[in-house]
Amino acid sequence: MSQKITGIFNILATPFTPDYQLDVTSLRQLVNFQLNMGAYGLTILGVLGEAAKMSVDERKLVVETVIETVAGRVPVVVGTSHEDTATCVALSKAAFAAGAAGVMIAPPRMEKPTDERVIGLYSEIATHIDQPIVVQDFPPVNGVIMSADMLATLAEKIPNARYLKLEDPPLMEKIGAIRARTDKFEIFGGLGGMFLLEELGRGASGTMTGFAFTEILVAIYQAFNEGRRDEAERIFDHYLPLIRYENQPVINLTIRKELLYRRGAMAHPTLRQPFVPIDAGTHEEIGWILKRVGIADPTQKVQL
Amino acid sequence: MSQKITGIFNILATPFTPDYQLDVTSLRQLVNFQLNMGAYGLTILGVLGEAAKMSVDERKLVVETVIETVAGRVPVVVGTSHEDTATCVALSKAAFAAGAAGVMIAPPRMEKPTDERVIGLYSEIATHIDQPIVVQDFPPVNGVIMSADMLATLAEKIPNARYLKLEDPPLMEKIGAIRARTDKFEIFGGLGGMFLLEELGRGASGTMTGFAFTEILVAIYQAFNEGRRDEAERIFDHYLPLIRYENQPVINLTIRKELLYRRGAMAHPTLRQPFVPIDAGTHEEIGWILKRVGIADPTQKVQL
Amino acid sequence: MSQKITGIFNILATPFTPDYQLDVTSLRQLVNFQLNMGAYGLTILGVLGEAAKMSVDERKLVVETVIETVAGRVPVVVGTSHEDTATCVALSKAAFAAGAAGVMIAPPRMEKPTDERVIGLYSEIATHIDQPIVVQDFPPVNGVIMSADMLATLAEKIPNARYLKLEDPPLMEKIGAIRARTDKFEIFGGLGGMFLLEELGRGASGTMTGFAFTEILVAIYQAFNEGRRDEAERIFDHYLPLIRYENQPVINLTIRKELLYRRGAMAHPTLRQPFVPIDAGTHEEIGWILKRVGIADPTQKVQL
Amino acid sequence: MSQKITGIFNILATPFTPDYQLDVTSLRQLVNFQLNMGAYGLTILGVLGEAAKMSVDERKLVVETVIETVAGRVPVVVGTSHEDTATCVALSKAAFAAGAAGVMIAPPRMEKPTDERVIGLYSEIATHIDQPIVVQDFPPVNGVIMSADMLATLAEKIPNARYLKLEDPPLMEKIGAIRARTDKFEIFGGLGGMFLLEELGRGASGTMTGFAFTEILVAIYQAFNEGRRDEAERIFDHYLPLIRYENQPVINLTIRKELLYRRGAMAHPTLRQPFVPIDAGTHEEIGWILKRVGIADPTQKVQL
């Protein structure tokens, strides 16, 4: 299957039951929810999908459930990062065998992550898989700095590394620096959607983020792409208080799952241990913000 | 002089000439600008004031110039953090001698910053000065984690540590945790104003931040305090795209100085080396954002 | 099986073939080698066992192969740390089912690792397993600081947390601080054996380290325990140049595998990617050091 | 004055009185002590000289006192690193005016320390001073990674950057990598002397370290340089237990000052706050180690 990886991808949360089991029913429900909200694709098993807190069997089950539920409606990108290169390759092969459109790979935390060693790692992976790789730039998580020069070299050397997911601020400056060096990458922003409009303005192909109101990002993206910039700005700026609130460091995923739970997209807001819980004040603030931006009933698709 | 430290404090940028000299004329101009915009007080020589990149003589000149220009109109808090405790004490004494209302002190980066060692440091300082101390919580800069428990203990032990400046997200949760343990602190938020409204909702006394449009923060604060919450929300949410844009990691101060320069508040947007510059795209985006929030002429006080 | 966890434990390296496959034949050979050298026990699948770079199936195969080869001669401790608590519990249960004497568990890298959250994690694990847990203190790897106070509280709360593996310098001071608060732990040192004698002097029960000449550590330990302190000192000080050389940051495991390979303990010195290789100069220096300490033939047990 | 910077340099500790004042009498005494022990030169105001905990006036007093006491007998290198480039330049000019043979400069902790930005910083400094610069590589302190490639480029561009002080393990591999790219640097090792012999073997010109028994390092260096390698090895290996003990992370300077105090080289072992103290066990262990290596009276020059 060759599906275009572009536009607004939702980084899918992974639902758990109150006793921390994988909640497969909710997972199917969440997939359909995101597609109903207009997601151009799904990215699964990223950091925000709590992949590191799942067993290999559970990860496999998530891949199969999601791809089966999606049933070819949109492309699915699977996070397959692993400290063991062979396991990363095995997970990637399994993902493509199951029907993935691409795999997203960040280097593991490592000693002395020189450019040479990081490019070597992707080259090694690319000797085993020739399908699309989304290179994930995520220094807050792995401590690996990927410079624009290094990324341009990587694009030259590895023909299937054609997608780039950025998470290293300042993001717009980084998009600009990469664009000035190579046009080989489709670039995706992140940061919870905080700079979606400016990222698109710099030439991003879309974003991959877990923000709980996918339809808002989709509306912004479509208005921008169709030249209705005023409308894109109006929507983005109107919902920014919510985007910003969800995007708090440390507790962003806890808030996001609470929002998805309030939206009826999954049966429980549970995270796996260890995670940082939110207090009563944050629960109240979530209600306050939703009211401020005019979302009376979060279970409904926001009308824009 | 005993002036109340509360409300919207501007963390003053330090103007430099294009050849990196301290620009005393612009400094006076900037002080008057911020007071005209309604600042309740000024905090000088913080991280965003580039204090670490100035000599001791220059720091002294900044203190004297600012306090002389303010001429008692508002309280001035002086950052006096230093790796050497004795120098911190000497800078603090000099600040109070010059007329400061308080000093703001963060622990230096240190090996094994246990609660005991951090409290010991403030205790040592408090044996030398009995005027108001603003305890600065700033782990991204110094690597020192200050728990709510530790801060409550510190408030019990040190009678003049009555102010707290937070910068460690999630901020609202931290305000809540401290409020549940002690009422001895006046708490100030930060993070560039990104959560001003929610911080006030949790019981913050104000904020100390360098956001370049002080009058916007003042209007939000006053509306909130006078019970006009709808208006506070309306103003905050309207200007959030700008607050957010300025608050980008790594380049926030570069953007802020550019904004202050465009506002005519200082003669040059120069930062001292080493700093991270902004590209042409960021210069354009600044104009785009100002237009989006309806600021046609940044040299004028924003009418709210 | 209940075997005493005490004395000199070898943290077992994991042998790979030149094409990066698990080398089961060498693994058996290495186990027998270490027991012939006098190891009191083996600790497998730690950081130095490259556990994070292995699949779950490979980890299982290592556990089974080692325990089968040991055949009850000494106790085996299995590293079962995992970002997912449930996987950690599952790996631990599997280890005990296979015949492990204990499991070694470090907390995963996490946001805001407060004492409460870390103790909560061990408590959760201890509701599922009641066999011996070796608490691993390893801040350079996971960023989790375990204070002496916290460790003493943990020992009070969790009856099967009776072993402690330290790796956080200064180690002797930490042993002293823990000993002053609780006598519930058997404490094991580390740091490649660099301070074995001083750790024993502070009351350590032994060490767990991967130093490639187990017989040297055993001789020091036995001499010390039998009151022959002069001999313990003589042996330790004589071989310290080698202990120190192996214990270089970043390349310690690469050197160690080279040494085990030269000793004939495994067929190849291969590490899995990503790792930091050693240069020709380091290969020469290894020979120089062996000569300096009088080890003419590393395949033979060093006579002390 | 043009004195050759080569051989065993002592990184001078800074003596304080029990009430934390600069102890100028002890400083003179310590200088004479180190020269009597055979130091080829002194490096002052480094991290281990607690320079960051001193005021600018105190730093000036230290420079003047040391250079006056040395009276031209050996070259003096002055640490002049500062977050403010202009202050760094001013401190450097003052150092040369006072008679320094060189200045040692590490980049400050900074955002995004790219090679370009780091080289730019040294270039800027070199437009103001044309005397010898010792480039200090110290990532554990400033987070700045200096690759061998970058250092070779720096040597090409900056004619007075001809000395390099390394502190980034694995050190011998780094010496090898730099030597393979450029012969423009005189390279100095560090790490408390832990690898002095191997560093010399790789082509280091000497070391700069604060180890409290300078005469031991001098004897090793001279034996090595005169081709008496067996003797160099014998001395190094014999005193390694002491070198290793002093070089413990976190408390190395506390131990070192205690040793200098026991040697009668300064009147008090005081460090300035904040520092990590040593416990009674460490005091005992210091005595134990001295006895083990045969130093009965530390006030006397060790006979080798």
Side-chain angles (χ1 to χ4, degrees):
Chain A
M1 181 184 326
S2 173
Q3 292 175 299
K4 198 161 164 44
I5 300 173
T6 193
I8 304 300
F9 270 57
N10 177 262
I11 299 186
L12 205 73
T14 306
F16 298 105
T17 62
D19 60 342
Y20 305 112
Q21 299 305 304
L22 189 61
D23 180 351
V24 175
T25 308
S26 281
L27 181 58
R28 286 204 196 92
Q29 182 184 345
L30 180 60
V31 167
N32 285 321
F33 178 88
Q34 296 294 0
L35 297 202
N36 289 342
M37 293 303 145
Y40 283 60
L42 299 177
T43 302
I44 63 176
L45 297 176
V47 170
L48 291 176
E50 297 174 79
K53 295 191 269 179
M54 281 187 260
S55 71
V56 167
D57 286 345
E58 288 173 327
R59 290 167 71 143
K60 203 178 153 204
L61 182 55
V62 168
V63 172
E64 289 168 357
T65 304
V66 169
I67 290 179
E68 186 191 287
T69 310
V70 165
R73 288 178 286 174
V74 299
V76 176
V77 171
V78 179
T80 57
S81 303
H82 200 279
E83 291 190 68
D84 172 31
T85 309
T87 298
C88 170
V89 167
L91 290 170
S92 299
K93 289 188 178 207
F96 287 118
V103 292
M104 182 165 74
I105 301 174
R109 187 171 282 272
M110 62 173 101
E111 293 279 5
K112 307 267 171 190
T114 59
D115 287 2
E116 195 187 348
R117 199 162 288 140
V118 172
I119 291 173
L121 198 68
Y122 280 102
S123 300
E124 165 70 15
I125 292 167
T127 62
H128 298 286
I129 56 171
D130 57 6
Q131 297 99 329
I133 294 174
V134 182
V135 175
Q136 188 179 16
D137 179 32
F138 213 170
V141 165
N142 59 14
V144 177
I145 308 293
M146 293 178 160
S147 70
D149 283 338
M150 181 277 224
L151 288 166
T153 305
L154 194 148
E156 288 302 323
K157 290 205 175 167
I158 305 179
N160 53 331
R162 284 294 167 266
Y163 301 90
L164 186 54
K165 166 72 166 75
L166 297 179
E167 204 73 49
D168 179 29
L171 218 59
M172 283 83 83
E173 301 247 347
K174 190 151 193 177
I175 296 174
I178 296 163
R179 279 273 163 272
R181 284 164 176 78
T182 180
D183 60 0
K184 289 196 153 53
F185 282 121
E186 303 275 319
I187 302 178
F188 292 83
L191 300 178
M194 283 287 286
F195 297 93
L196 173 57
L197 211 42
E198 291 84 5
E199 289 165 7
L200 294 174
R202 294 278 191 139
S205 301
T207 193
M208 292 185 178
T209 187
F211 178 57
F213 290 82
T214 300
E215 67 268 42
I216 294 173
L217 304 181
V218 167
I220 295 163
Y221 172 78
Q222 292 179 340
F224 185 91
N225 267 11
E226 295 163 8
R228 293 175 282 120
R229 279 184 70 137
D230 282 2
E231 192 184 340
E233 294 172 9
R234 185 187 56 74
I235 302 172
F236 180 85
D237 292 349
H238 179 77
Y239 290 101
L240 183 56
L242 174 58
I243 293 172
R244 161 210 65 129
Y245 190 82
E246 194 197 85
N247 192 46
Q248 288 185 67
V250 180
I251 55 171
N252 49 0
L253 182 59
T254 318
I255 295 174
R256 182 168 295 162
K257 286 197 144 181
E258 172 66 20
L259 282 168
L260 290 169
Y261 167 69
R262 291 193 189 193
R263 299 202 75 182
M266 53 194 220
H268 313 281
T270 314
L271 282 83
R272 276 203 170 160
Q273 295 289 350
F275 75 98
V276 179
I278 52 177
D279 68 9
T282 296
H283 277 95
E284 282 171 33
E285 282 159 8
I286 291 173
W288 181 21
I289 308 290
L290 287 174
K291 190 158 163 287
R292 257 155 73 183
V293 299
I295 298 180
D297 180 357
T299 66
Q300 299 302 306
K301 188 168 183 172
V302 176
Q303 298 306 317
L304 297 143
Chain B
M1 181 183 326
S2 172
Q3 291 175 300
K4 197 160 165 44
I5 301 173
T6 194
I8 303 301
F9 270 58
N10 177 260
I11 299 186
L12 205 73
T14 305
F16 297 105
T17 62
D19 60 343
Y20 305 112
Q21 299 305 303
L22 189 61
D23 180 351
V24 175
T25 307
S26 281
L27 182 58
R28 285 202 195 94
Q29 181 184 346
L30 179 61
V31 168
N32 285 321
F33 178 86
Q34 295 293 1
L35 297 202
N36 289 342
M37 293 303 145
Y40 283 61
L42 299 176
T43 301
I44 62 178
L45 298 176
V47 170
L48 291 175
E50 297 173 80
K53 294 191 271 179
M54 282 187 259
S55 71
V56 167
D57 286 346
E58 289 173 325
R59 289 168 70 144
K60 204 177 153 204
L61 182 55
V62 168
V63 172
E64 289 168 357
T65 305
V66 169
I67 290 180
E68 185 190 289
T69 310
V70 165
R73 288 178 286 174
V74 297
V76 176
V77 171
V78 179
T80 58
S81 303
H82 200 278
E83 290 191 69
D84 171 32
T85 310
T87 298
C88 170
V89 168
L91 290 171
S92 299
K93 289 190 178 204
F96 287 118
V103 292
M104 183 164 75
I105 301 173
R109 188 172 282 273
M110 62 172 103
E111 292 279 5
K112 307 268 170 189
T114 59
D115 288 1
E116 196 187 345
R117 199 162 288 140
V118 172
I119 291 174
L121 198 69
Y122 281 102
S123 300
E124 165 70 16
I125 292 166
T127 62
H128 297 287
I129 56 171
D130 57 5
Q131 297 101 328
I133 294 173
V134 182
V135 174
Q136 189 179 15
D137 180 32
F138 212 169
V141 165
N142 58 15
V144 177
I145 307 293
M146 294 178 159
S147 70
D149 282 339
M150 181 276 223
L151 287 167
T153 305
L154 194 148
E156 289 301 323
K157 289 205 176 164
I158 304 179
N160 53 331
R162 286 292 165 268
Y163 302 90
L164 187 54
K165 165 74 164 74
L166 296 179
E167 204 74 48
D168 178 30
L171 218 58
M172 283 83 83
E173 302 247 346
K174 190 152 193 177
I175 296 174
I178 295 163
R179 279 274 163 272
R181 283 164 176 78
T182 179
D183 59 0
K184 289 196 153 55
F185 282 121
E186 303 276 320
I187 302 177
F188 292 83
L191 299 177
M194 283 286 285
F195 296 93
L196 174 57
L197 209 44
E198 290 85 5
E199 289 166 7
L200 294 175
R202 295 277 190 140
S205 301
T207 194
M208 293 184 178
T209 187
F211 178 58
F213 290 82
T214 301
E215 66 269 41
I216 294 174
L217 304 181
V218 167
I220 295 163
Y221 172 78
Q222 291 178 342
F224 185 90
N225 267 10
E226 296 162 7
R228 293 176 282 119
R229 281 184 69 137
D230 282 1
E231 192 184 340
E233 293 172 10
R234 185 187 56 73
I235 303 171
F236 180 86
D237 291 349
H238 179 79
Y239 290 101
L240 184 55
L242 175 58
I243 294 172
R244 164 210 63 128
Y245 190 83
E246 193 197 84
N247 192 46
Q248 288 186 67
V250 180
I251 55 171
N252 50 0
L253 182 59
T254 318
I255 295 174
R256 181 169 295 160
K257 285 195 145 181
E258 173 66 21
L259 283 169
L260 290 168
Y261 168 68
R262 292 193 190 192
R263 298 203 75 181
M266 53 195 221
H268 314 281
T270 314
L271 281 84
R272 277 203 170 160
Q273 294 290 349
F275 76 98
V276 179
I278 52 178
D279 67 10
T282 296
H283 277 95
E284 282 170 35
E285 282 159 6
I286 292 173
W288 181 21
I289 307 289
L290 288 174
K291 187 157 164 290
R292 254 155 75 183
V293 298
I295 298 179
D297 180 357
T299 66
Q300 299 303 304
K301 187 168 183 172
V302 176
Q303 298 307 315
L304 297 141
Chain C
M1 179 185 326
S2 174
Q3 290 175 300
K4 198 159 166 46
I5 301 173
T6 194
I8 304 300
F9 270 57
N10 177 260
I11 299 186
L12 205 73
T14 306
F16 297 105
T17 62
D19 60 343
Y20 304 112
Q21 301 304 303
L22 190 61
D23 180 351
V24 175
T25 307
S26 280
L27 181 59
R28 286 203 196 92
Q29 181 184 347
L30 180 60
V31 167
N32 285 321
F33 179 86
Q34 295 293 1
L35 297 202
N36 290 342
M37 294 303 146
Y40 283 59
L42 298 176
T43 301
I44 62 176
L45 297 176
V47 170
L48 291 176
E50 297 175 79
K53 296 192 269 178
M54 280 187 259
S55 71
V56 167
D57 286 346
E58 288 173 327
R59 290 167 71 143
K60 205 178 152 204
L61 181 56
V62 168
V63 172
E64 289 167 358
T65 304
V66 170
I67 290 180
E68 186 190 287
T69 309
V70 165
R73 289 178 285 174
V74 298
V76 176
V77 171
V78 179
T80 58
S81 303
H82 199 278
E83 291 191 67
D84 172 32
T85 310
T87 299
C88 169
V89 167
L91 291 170
S92 299
K93 288 189 178 203
F96 287 118
V103 292
M104 183 165 75
I105 302 174
R109 188 171 282 272
M110 62 172 103
E111 293 278 4
K112 307 267 171 189
T114 59
D115 287 2
E116 195 187 348
R117 199 162 289 140
V118 172
I119 291 174
L121 199 68
Y122 281 102
S123 300
E124 166 69 14
I125 292 166
T127 62
H128 298 286
I129 56 171
D130 57 5
Q131 297 100 327
I133 295 173
V134 182
V135 174
Q136 189 180 14
D137 180 32
F138 212 169
V141 165
N142 59 15
V144 177
I145 308 293
M146 293 178 159
S147 70
D149 282 339
M150 180 278 223
L151 288 167
T153 305
L154 195 148
E156 288 301 324
K157 289 205 176 166
I158 305 179
N160 53 329
R162 285 294 166 268
Y163 301 90
L164 187 55
K165 165 73 165 75
L166 297 179
E167 204 72 49
D168 179 30
L171 218 59
M172 283 82 83
E173 302 246 347
K174 190 152 193 177
I175 296 174
I178 295 164
R179 278 274 162 272
R181 283 163 176 78
T182 180
D183 60 359
K184 290 196 153 53
F185 282 121
E186 302 276 319
I187 303 178
F188 292 82
L191 300 176
M194 284 285 286
F195 296 94
L196 173 58
L197 210 42
E198 291 85 5
E199 288 165 7
L200 294 175
R202 295 275 191 139
S205 302
T207 192
M208 292 184 177
T209 187
F211 178 57
F213 290 81
T214 301
E215 67 269 40
I216 293 174
L217 304 181
V218 167
I220 294 163
Y221 172 79
Q222 291 178 341
F224 186 89
N225 267 11
E226 295 163 9
R228 293 176 282 118
R229 280 185 69 138
D230 282 0
E231 193 184 339
E233 294 172 10
R234 185 188 57 74
I235 303 172
F236 180 86
D237 292 348
H238 179 79
Y239 290 102
L240 184 56
L242 174 58
I243 294 173
R244 162 210 66 128
Y245 191 82
E246 192 197 85
N247 191 47
Q248 288 187 66
V250 181
I251 54 171
N252 50 0
L253 182 58
T254 318
I255 296 174
R256 181 169 297 161
K257 285 195 145 182
E258 173 66 21
L259 282 169
L260 290 169
Y261 167 69
R262 293 193 188 192
R263 300 204 73 183
M266 53 195 221
H268 314 281
T270 314
L271 282 84
R272 277 204 169 160
Q273 295 289 350
F275 75 98
V276 180
I278 53 177
D279 68 9
T282 296
H283 277 95
E284 282 170 35
E285 282 159 7
I286 291 172
W288 181 20
I289 306 290
L290 287 174
K291 187 156 164 289
R292 254 155 74 182
V293 299
I295 298 179
D297 179 357
T299 66
Q300 299 304 304
K301 187 168 182 172
V302 176
Q303 298 306 316
L304 297 142
Chain D
M1 181 184 326
S2 174
Q3 290 175 301
K4 197 159 165 44
I5 301 174
T6 194
I8 304 300
F9 270 57
N10 176 261
I11 299 186
L12 205 72
T14 306
F16 298 105
T17 62
D19 60 343
Y20 304 112
Q21 300 305 304
L22 189 62
D23 180 351
V24 176
T25 308
S26 281
L27 182 58
R28 286 203 196 92
Q29 181 183 347
L30 180 60
V31 167
N32 284 321
F33 178 87
Q34 295 293 1
L35 298 202
N36 290 343
M37 294 303 145
Y40 283 60
L42 298 177
T43 302
I44 63 176
L45 297 175
V47 169
L48 290 176
E50 296 174 78
K53 295 191 270 180
M54 281 188 259
S55 71
V56 167
D57 286 346
E58 288 173 327
R59 289 167 71 143
K60 203 177 153 204
L61 181 55
V62 168
V63 172
E64 290 168 357
T65 304
V66 170
I67 291 179
E68 186 190 288
T69 309
V70 166
R73 289 178 285 174
V74 297
V76 176
V77 171
V78 179
T80 58
S81 304
H82 199 277
E83 291 191 68
D84 172 32
T85 309
T87 298
C88 169
V89 168
L91 290 171
S92 299
K93 290 190 177 203
F96 287 117
V103 292
M104 182 165 74
I105 301 174
R109 187 172 283 271
M110 62 172 100
E111 292 278 4
K112 307 267 170 190
T114 58
D115 286 3
E116 195 187 347
R117 198 161 290 139
V118 172
I119 290 174
L121 198 69
Y122 281 102
S123 300
E124 166 70 16
I125 292 166
T127 62
H128 298 286
I129 56 172
D130 57 5
Q131 298 100 327
I133 294 173
V134 182
V135 175
Q136 189 180 16
D137 180 32
F138 212 169
V141 165
N142 59 14
V144 177
I145 307 294
M146 294 178 158
S147 69
D149 283 338
M150 181 276 223
L151 287 166
T153 305
L154 195 149
E156 288 302 323
K157 290 204 175 167
I158 305 179
N160 53 330
R162 285 292 166 269
Y163 301 90
L164 187 55
K165 165 73 166 74
L166 297 179
E167 202 74 49
D168 178 30
L171 218 59
M172 281 82 84
E173 301 246 348
K174 191 152 193 176
I175 296 174
I178 295 163
R179 278 276 163 271
R181 283 163 176 80
T182 180
D183 60 358
K184 289 196 153 54
F185 282 121
E186 303 276 319
I187 302 178
F188 291 83
L191 300 177
M194 283 286 286
F195 296 93
L196 173 57
L197 210 43
E198 290 86 3
E199 289 166 7
L200 294 174
R202 294 276 191 141
S205 302
T207 193
M208 294 184 177
T209 187
F211 178 57
F213 290 81
T214 301
E215 67 269 41
I216 294 173
L217 304 181
V218 167
I220 295 163
Y221 172 79
Q222 291 177 341
F224 185 91
N225 267 11
E226 294 162 10
R228 294 175 281 118
R229 279 184 70 136
D230 283 0
E231 192 184 341
E233 294 172 9
R234 185 189 56 73
I235 303 172
F236 179 86
D237 291 349
H238 179 79
Y239 290 101
L240 182 56
L242 175 58
I243 293 172
R244 162 210 64 130
Y245 191 84
E246 193 197 85
N247 192 45
Q248 288 186 68
V250 180
I251 54 171
N252 51 359
L253 182 59
T254 318
I255 295 173
R256 182 169 295 162
K257 285 195 144 180
E258 173 66 20
L259 282 168
L260 290 169
Y261 167 69
R262 292 193 189 191
R263 300 203 75 180
M266 54 195 219
H268 314 280
T270 313
L271 282 85
R272 276 202 171 162
Q273 294 289 349
F275 76 98
V276 180
I278 53 178
D279 68 9
T282 296
H283 277 95
E284 281 170 36
E285 282 159 8
I286 291 173
W288 181 21
I289 307 290
L290 287 174
K291 189 158 164 289
R292 254 155 75 185
V293 298
I295 298 180
D297 180 358
T299 66
Q300 298 304 305
K301 188 168 183 172
V302 176
Q303 298 306 317
L304 297 141

